[in-house]
Amino acid sequence: MKPVRTLVEALGAGVLVLDGGLSNQLETQGCDLSDALWSARLLADGPEQIEAAHAAYVRAGARVLITSSYQATFEGFARRGVDREEAARLLARSVELARSAAAGVGEEVWVAGSVGPYGAMLADGSEYRGRYGLSVRELEAFHRPRIEALAAAEPDVLALETVPDVTEAEALLRAVEGCGVPVWLSYTVEGGRTRAGQDLAEAFAVAAGNDRVIAVGVNCCDPAEAGPAVELAVAVTGKPAVVYPNSGERWDARARGWRGDIAFDPARAADWAASGARLIGGCCRVGPTTISALGSSLVTERGAG
C-alpha cells in the first residue's frame, strides 16, 4: 500500500529516517553476496531475504526504504542469462518487496527505487572513481531502460545514488525526464569533492532549478564529509538535503573487504537536520541498531526544541 502523502509533502512536515545498508543486513541474515550482482542476485534467488532485510529496517524506525536495485541492470542480468523481460520483472520486484515489508507497520513508509551508477554494474569499484570515458549521451542510454522499468513499478521516488561525477549526474537527470517519478540526487564524495575530484558546489548546481529533483546530497562516504556537504547542497540548490554516509570503514575493491574503524555517530543526525537535511540514514555497514539510535536522536532533539 502506498503512503497517503507524497514524499514531497512529507518532507515539508519534517525529517524522515532512511534505512541503512541493505548488503550488510543481508550478510547478517547469512546471505552470500560474493556474486557480481551483489544483493540484486537475491531478487531472483532469495526475494524473501530482501523483504526480511527491509522489514528489519522498518522495525528500526526507517520510514524510507531504498530498493535492492542498486546493482540491478539489464546488462548485469544478461551476463547471468536473464532476458530483458525477466530482468524488467526483477526490477519491478525490488519495489514490490519494499512495499510488502512496509505493510502493516501502521505508519507511512515510502519506497525509493535505487538507481546506482554505471560503475556498480562493472562490479570493480569504479563507482568510487567515476570518469568512465563515456559521454553524457552514452550514460543516459545506459540508465534510461532500467529507470523506465523501475518507474513503471511506481516507487515514491527514484534514488539516483552514489554518483561519482558530474557527467553521470547530468546523464541521470536526462534519463529521468518524463519518467513521472520524483528523484533525489546523491553523490559519493571524498575530501569535499566528488569522487572524480570535481568541485562539489558545481556538482550540486546541476540539480538547481530542476523541479523533478526533490532533494540533493551525499551517500556512501565518510561520516565526516556529511555535515559540510549538507550545508553546501542546501546553499547551492535551495532544496532539502539527503544524507546517508557509510559507517566510516573503507571498501577495499581489490581485496573486496572493509578496512578501518567505525565512525558513524547517530547523534550527528540532529546537526544534519539543523543544516537542512530532511532525508537522513546510513549506507554501507550501517545496520538497523544504528538506524534506530539515529531516529531516537532526532526525536530527542525535536523534543528538546
Side-chain angles (χ1 to χ4, degrees), residues 8 10 25 27 41 45 57 89 131 140 199 208 264 274 299:
V8 172
Q25 178 57 27
E27 288 174 335
R41 176 185 64 80
D45 299 343
Y57 281 114
R89 191 178 71 82
R131 298 186 185 273
E140 177 188 356
D199 181 84
F264 190 106
V299 169

Side-chain angles (χ1 to χ4, degrees), residues 5 39 57 110 145 153 171 183 188 271 281:
R5 295 177 296 170
S39 56
Y57 281 114
W110 291 263
V183 306
T188 179
D271 293 333

